[in-house]
Amino acid sequence: MLERMLEGLRELRGVQRIRLFEKDGFVVYDSGANDAAATHVQSWRDLVEIAGPDRTITLVQERGYAFLRTVALGTLLVTAQRETNLGAARLAIEHVAEQMNSNSSTTDR
């Protein structure tokens, strides 16, 4: 089910990696191989907590972008190339967040 929710985001041109991690840092989903980026989980969580639950943070990096968004399962991290359409990426992330949040609320009942 998680794979299906992330499908549109995975297929977006320029998206390099999708990572979903819980509040304790446990990685629930990762589209790439494990690497040193996992050491930044606490910093990413701090950023999304400051921004609030309904906001997407866009970090401009040397080789592209990193998007952070709080979702029902934890924190969604998407990395993308510079050529990625930012509007399309943000819309796709918003769509995933809505799907996860609505799925979570229906299973909590």
Side-chain angles (χ1 to χ4, degrees), residues 11-76:
E11 292 175 353
L12 189 65
R13 195 175 116 226
V15 169
Q16 296 174 311
R17 184 178 205 155
I18 301 169
R19 181 180 281 165
L20 179 63
F21 50 91
E22 294 177 331
K23 291 182 181 191
D24 63 359
F26 179 77
V27 177
V28 177
Y29 176 86
D30 194 346
S31 66
N34 289 338
D35 62 7
T39 60
H40 301 294
V41 168
Q42 184 59 45
S43 299
W44 293 329
R45 285 190 52 243
D46 292 344
L47 281 172
V48 294
E49 285 181 24
I50 291 168
D54 296 330
R55 295 208 157 167
T56 300
I57 296 173
T58 305
L59 303 173
V60 179
Q61 300 179 320
E62 185 177 336
R63 296 184 182 165
Y65 303 98
F67 302 94
L68 294 162
R69 172 66 192 250
T70 300
V71 294
L73 296 173
T75 302
L76 181 65

Side-chain angles (χ1 to χ4, degrees), residues 88-109:
R90 289 181 182 127
L91 283 173
I93 291 167
E94 181 65 27
H95 181 70
V96 167
E98 288 173 2
Q99 281 185 310
M100 287 186 180
N101 293 341
S102 69
N103 247 0
S104 173
S105 64
T106 57
T107 56
D108 289 343
R109 294 179 189 168

